[in-house]
Amino acid sequence: MLLKQQRQLIATGLVTQEQISEATKGNGGQKAGFLLNLFAQDGVDVDKTLQALAKIYKVPFIDLDHIEIDEDLVEKCSEELCNEFCFIPVAISAGEMIIAIADPMDYAGMDVLQFKLGQRVRPLFSNPLDIQKKIRDLFAAGEGSLDEVMSDLENTGEIQAFTDDEESKAETDIASLKKGAEGSPIIKLVNGIIMKALQMESSDIHVEAGEKDSLVRLRVDGRLRPVMKFPSGAHPMLVSRIKIMSKLDISNTRTPQDGRTRIKISNKSFDMRISTLPSMYGEKVVMRILDKSGLSLSLDVLAFEKKADERIREAIARPTGAVLVTGPTGSGKTTTLYSFLHHINDEETNIVTVEDPVEFQIKGLNQVQVNAKSGMTFAAALRSILRQDPDVVMVGEIRDEETAHIALHAAQTGHLVMSTLHTNDAPSTVSRLVEMGTDPVALSSCLNIIVAQRLARRLCPRCKKKTTPTPEMITKYDMPEDLEIYEPVGCDKCLNIGYKGRCGVHETLYVNDRVRKAIARGVSDQELMQVCREEGMYALFEDGMNKVLQGVTSVAEVMRLSIAPEDFSFQDRIDSDRNLMSLGQANEARDQGQLTPQEDTKRNTVLLIDDSKSIRSLVGFILKSEGFDIAEAEDGRKGLDLLKQALPQVALVIVDYDMPNMNGPEFVQEVRRQSKFDDIPVVMLTSRHDEDDEVLGLDSGADDYIIKPVEPMKLQARVRKILQMYERVRQAQQRQV
């Protein structure tokens, strides 16, 4: 970029002179190196800067995300040429090749490009990161043989491996390689595997030893895909080559090892975490690829539901409290935490992290690496960090009671603490911390928010197909038959998988007063889940289904990642914009009369639970004369299941005292533990005349206690009285609202 254009860009107020100067350093003559360095800096709004540069250049801007490029056009340009000039061909018009280029002001470079292409070019301006990604997409090799991968590698350049303390060296020191690992075929094999992974945008490389053949599998969008085999005789030499790259002990093949390296290819650097594990036929190697250039730390790209996004921004803006992210390994927990920290990072905030390992180095954060061998555990590091006057502390993972105690104590004493745990969902995080010895009352006072997270594969935008629910979906989830959803198909762009990229599916437990009281009472995970859903939280399955309705992912993908809540149904849950409402929103809309039920949901059903069929027949006959419908169950367990299914219609429950499986008092206690049954009156019916039994029945939560034999008029009067009392309570609550 010319100095004049730099001054014009500074005049827009989008960047500073310091940022321009920093971006100019270390450019090394790389095409678009200035912009790549500029966009990598904190505080630079990439989208606005690109639009401003397009006006300064007086060249139209093109977004490559929505551009499909003809394969015939790609054949006219080599991958090497596209990388050299940082451009991509877009179209042919009036004898000119229209190209998307990162530096349309490089007139000398475009003259050379025109000469090499043998054709005039007309430039459009585009994001250099998008151009590089498009180049990788267009020239990516499909699944093929090792020879094909190697031939692709020859035109791509040398892979350079660095260690953290030898970043200035251009090549790995191969003097110490064993004789077998010194040969160029092994080096070429490792390079080919890495190249294949980068072309397929893989996150992990798995090299697995077999009896006759070793297998290479790549994790693409969260799923492993086999891509090549090679003779098992080459496996030890390949592992040695990888160990040399990552400074591991090649003589140690009996214990696991962990290391890291940095590779450079096509003027772009990638960090790699290496893990080895002894197995039956040789060492298994997993290489995780960390591409910082593809790391977005904006909250806007995390795909949180609107209300959850508002609650998260509020929770991380508080000066104290605990913010927890939970999920299995590889679900993006650390990236989410980095995004939270990036959002609140400024010059006035001291942010300290303790991680194992430090995956990405973020400007403005004081990042501490755990080292168990030297005694630097999470707990030990956390104790020292709290003496460093931090405002925000990020703990990579709460693994034990000591770390949990120190972290949550810090959250209670003037610090904002962020961390991760391995739990199945957001409510179970609370019980997990209680199992670690945390007091429920203290926990409720310091929690701000808990986010459970999964990564669902995105449907390929190029080939996804619009469809309607299957009969099984309609039956299982009460889906409307005319609901528009999408399913995967498969095309060249998505490697015939039907999915391309991933998005987050979240469960955001926001701790308000009602949730705080439930946590302090030590309620079960199921009851806490119900309370949170009534307060507006989407369960993982519900948030996933919302993304299904938005055309982002498929029903099969959501079912693979999560389990539907027991009472989940699409009925009365879809708003006018065809989005799925949370349970709390649906209840509120129903109370305000904004939803018209598809069926008559007037409460006119009495649930009779008694192991005596004659008693059920007699009581049913008496209440049918009062206009009630009757539902029957022969024991407490079946009665509880029936109550959950028929809840909207149930006006009253009459339950026997003595029954198999679950007796009357046990049934009533279970009903009263679940808040969704709070407005259901329960009458206990029994032949026990003992005063202690009546006290026990009423103490369990029953509203009335009726002695057998049943007197028809007396039973009718007492049922009317209880229902009238509950109705007055409902009306009083509505007036207060």
Side-chain angles (χ1 to χ4, degrees):
M1 182 186 289
L2 302 176
L3 291 176
K4 177 183 176 182
Q5 292 150 357
Q6 292 180 8
R7 289 194 296 270
Q8 290 175 320
L9 183 58
I10 294 172
T12 64
L14 295 172
V15 299
T16 64
Q17 178 64 57
E18 291 75 15
Q19 289 171 327
I20 291 288
S21 300
E22 186 69 25
T24 307
K25 297 177 182 178
N27 190 358
Q30 179 188 353
K31 297 290 183 184
F34 170 81
L35 288 183
L36 291 171
N37 292 339
L38 182 64
F39 294 159
Q41 296 185 50
D42 292 333
V44 176
D45 190 317
V46 176
D47 293 335
K48 291 182 179 179
T49 303
L50 288 170
Q51 296 299 329
L53 284 172
K55 294 179 181 179
I56 293 172
Y57 292 153
K58 297 181 181 178
V59 174
F61 178 80
I62 182 172
D63 185 354
L64 294 178
D65 284 343
H66 308 290
I67 299 297
E68 298 296 334
I69 298 174
D70 191 342
E71 292 182 2
D72 295 335
L73 189 60
V74 177
E75 292 178 358
K76 297 183 179 182
C77 310
S78 69
E79 182 180 1
E80 184 180 13
L81 191 64
C82 290
N83 278 317
E84 181 182 354
F85 291 91
C86 198
F87 84 99
I88 203 76
V90 176
I92 294 286
S93 176
E96 291 183 324
M97 179 183 290
I98 301 173
I99 64 172
I101 193 166
D103 189 358
M105 297 292 99
D106 183 10
Y107 300 118
M110 276 193 288
D111 287 340
V112 176
L113 180 60
Q114 288 182 129
F115 175 77
K116 290 190 174 185
L117 290 172
Q119 191 168 14
R120 291 182 58 82
V121 299
R122 176 151 45 101
L124 301 176
F125 176 51
S126 188
N127 186 340
L129 291 172
D130 292 344
I131 293 175
Q132 291 180 346
K133 182 177 182 299
K134 201 74 172 179
I135 292 172
R136 293 197 297 270
D137 288 344
L138 291 176
F139 293 96
E143 290 189 32
S145 66
L146 179 59
D147 292 337
E148 292 173 341
V149 176
M150 297 310 168
S151 63
D152 289 341
L153 179 63
E154 292 175 357
N155 296 324
T156 315
E158 185 73 14
I159 292 183
Q160 300 172 348
F162 304 97
T163 57
D164 290 339
D165 57 347
E166 295 180 329
E167 205 168 328
S168 61
K169 292 186 179 181
E171 296 181 350
T172 301
D173 180 13
I174 62 171
S176 61
L177 286 176
K178 290 184 177 180
K179 183 178 179 180
E182 288 177 342
S184 61
I186 293 299
I187 295 176
K188 195 173 183 182
L189 175 59
V190 174
N191 290 353
I193 292 171
I194 295 174
M195 273 302 305
K196 183 77 170 178
L198 295 178
Q199 289 170 347
M200 294 180 65
E201 298 183 7
S202 170
S203 62
D204 298 88
I205 303 170
H206 290 240
V207 184
E208 302 166 347
E211 184 177 5
K212 296 181 179 179
D213 295 309
S214 290
L215 175 66
V216 177
R217 296 193 292 172
L218 303 181
R219 189 173 294 280
V220 181
D221 293 334
R223 305 300 294 273
L224 283 172
R225 291 174 58 83
V227 294
M228 85 173 62
K229 291 182 179 180
F230 60 90
S232 58
H235 188 89
M237 293 180 287
L238 180 142
V239 173
S240 295
R241 168 63 181 170
I242 295 172
K243 286 183 175 181
I244 291 295
M245 292 172 61
S246 50
K247 291 295 180 184
L248 297 178
D249 182 3
I250 61 175
S251 65
N252 180 5
T253 61
R254 297 184 178 182
T255 59
Q257 295 187 68
D258 294 300
R260 63 189 306 151
T261 186
R262 180 173 292 118
I263 64 169
K264 186 175 183 181
I265 183 167
S266 300
N267 297 316
K268 187 174 181 182
S269 295
F270 300 86
D271 285 337
M272 300 186 72
R273 282 207 338 244
I274 314 297
S275 174
T276 68
L277 180 70
S279 64
M280 181 176 293
Y281 296 110
E283 291 179 278
K284 182 182 189 304
V285 179
V286 175
M287 297 183 280
R288 170 156 291 187
I289 303 171
L290 305 173
D291 181 6
K292 187 175 180 180
S293 66
L295 179 67
S296 176
L297 297 180
S298 171
L299 290 181
D300 297 329
V301 303
L302 294 182
F304 284 108
E305 178 267 330
K306 182 179 179 181
K307 187 65 176 179
D309 184 73
E310 294 174 357
R311 288 174 165 178
I312 286 170
R313 291 173 189 269
E314 176 191 342
I316 64 178
R318 295 179 185 176
T320 63
V323 174
L324 303 177
V325 181
T326 181
T329 301
S331 61
K333 300 187 297 296
T334 302
T335 301
T336 298
L337 279 186
Y338 280 157
S339 299
F340 292 171
L341 294 173
H342 182 265
H343 183 75
I344 62 176
N345 186 21
D346 57 44
E347 295 180 351
E348 298 179 351
T349 305
N350 179 19
I351 301 176
V352 186
T353 75
V354 52
E355 306 170 57
D356 182 23
V358 175
E359 292 194 3
F360 293 103
Q361 297 176 15
I362 309 297
K363 186 177 179 180
L365 272 58
N366 302 288
Q367 295 173 275
V368 178
Q369 170 78 48
V370 167
N371 188 343
K373 292 181 180 179
S374 63
M376 180 67 82
T377 62
F378 275 113
L382 191 52
R383 280 193 294 268
S384 298
I385 285 172
L386 294 178
R387 294 192 287 271
Q388 290 284 316
D389 186 31
D391 299 300
V392 181
V393 177
M394 193 271 268
V395 183
E397 182 183 348
I398 294 178
R399 297 177 178 173
D400 51 56
E401 181 178 344
E402 185 179 10
T403 306
H405 175 76
I406 299 172
L408 295 176
H409 180 72
Q412 291 177 299
T413 55
H415 304 88
L416 180 64
V417 177
M418 300 185 186
S419 188
T420 69
L421 286 93
H422 287 272
T423 57
N424 292 329
D425 52 34
S428 62
T429 304
V430 174
S431 59
R432 173 75 178 128
L433 289 170
V434 172
E435 288 173 3
M436 287 184 176
T438 305
D439 178 57
V441 177
L443 181 61
S444 68
S445 67
C446 70
L447 276 179
N448 288 356
I449 203 164
I450 303 173
V451 179
Q453 178 169 308
R454 301 289 188 278
L455 291 178
R457 293 182 293 174
R458 288 181 179 270
L459 288 166
C460 175
R462 182 179 179 182
C463 64
K464 67 180 181 180
K465 176 184 175 183
K466 185 180 292 186
T467 184
T468 54
T470 63
E472 291 79 12
M473 295 177 189
I474 295 171
T475 303
K476 191 171 184 178
Y477 303 123
D478 288 331
M479 280 188 176
E481 296 182 5
D482 61 344
L483 199 63
E484 290 185 356
I485 58 177
Y486 290 84
E487 63 182 4
V489 178
C491 63
D492 294 339
K493 186 174 181 180
C494 61
L495 303 176
N496 292 314
I497 302 173
Y499 299 93
K500 185 72 173 176
R502 290 189 289 178
C503 68
V505 176
H506 305 97
E507 186 175 274
T508 307
L509 190 161
Y510 179 75
V511 184
N512 59 14
D513 287 342
R514 184 184 175 196
V515 175
R516 185 169 286 109
K517 291 177 182 177
I519 294 174
R521 291 201 317 268
V523 300
S524 65
D525 293 348
Q526 293 78 8
E527 185 174 355
L528 183 57
M529 171 69 80
Q530 186 66 22
V531 170
C532 294
R533 290 178 64 214
E534 291 173 357
E535 291 298 306
M537 182 187 83
Y538 285 89
L540 282 167
F541 185 86
E542 293 170 322
D543 189 57
M545 281 299 176
N546 229 341
K547 290 177 171 61
V548 168
L549 298 182
Q550 296 163 9
V552 176
T553 189
S554 66
V555 173
E557 187 69 3
V558 174
M559 292 173 64
R560 181 180 69 86
L561 294 170
S562 57
I563 301 174
E566 289 185 5
D567 59 349
F568 177 79
S569 169
F570 273 91
Q571 187 176 6
D572 296 340
R573 294 281 297 276
I574 300 179
D575 63 17
S576 57
D577 296 325
R578 308 297 283 178
N579 291 323
L580 182 70
M581 293 184 289
S582 69
L583 182 61
Q585 291 171 328
N587 290 341
E588 182 180 352
R590 190 177 295 109
D591 292 342
Q592 295 175 356
Q594 295 176 1
L595 288 177
T596 302
Q598 296 179 2
E599 300 177 0
D600 181 13
T601 58
K602 180 180 178 182
R603 296 192 171 193
N604 62 349
T605 299
V606 174
L607 175 59
L608 296 180
I609 308 172
D610 199 304
D611 57 340
S612 170
K613 186 174 181 180
S614 60
I615 293 295
R616 296 200 304 270
S617 299
L618 173 61
V619 175
F621 177 78
I622 295 171
L623 295 180
K624 281 180 181 178
S625 64
E626 289 286 296
F628 290 104
D629 293 330
I630 304 299
E632 298 182 18
E634 60 188 19
D635 62 54
R637 180 60 61 188
K638 293 180 180 179
L640 189 61
D641 293 339
L642 188 57
L643 177 60
K644 292 177 181 178
Q645 297 172 16
L647 177 61
Q649 288 80 34
V650 175
L652 175 76
V653 176
I654 297 179
V655 59
D656 187 21
Y657 193 108
D658 292 311
M659 293 181 297
N661 293 332
M662 178 184 285
N663 63 31
E666 290 173 342
F667 170 86
V668 177
Q669 288 172 358
E670 183 63 30
V671 167
R672 292 310 181 215
R673 272 199 291 265
Q674 302 186 40
S675 57
K676 62 182 177 182
F677 301 134
D678 284 350
D679 59 348
I680 302 294
V682 180
V683 174
M684 191 166 290
L685 188 66
T686 181
S687 57
R688 291 177 176 242
H689 293 73
D690 191 277
E691 182 180 349
D692 291 339
D693 293 328
E694 182 174 354
V695 170
L696 179 60
L698 295 174
D699 284 346
S700 67
D703 296 283
D704 202 353
Y705 191 89
I706 298 179
I707 304 294
K708 298 177 184 177
V710 177
E711 301 177 26
M713 296 184 62
K714 188 175 182 179
L715 175 64
Q716 292 170 345
R718 294 177 79 160
V719 166
R720 285 195 299 268
K721 180 180 178 181
I722 291 173
L723 292 177
Q724 289 169 2
M725 178 183 68
Y726 267 73
E727 183 60 30
R728 285 196 297 271
V729 171
R730 289 193 193 98
Q731 293 175 359
Q733 290 175 340
Q734 291 175 358
R735 286 195 296 270
Q736 291 176 358
V737 174

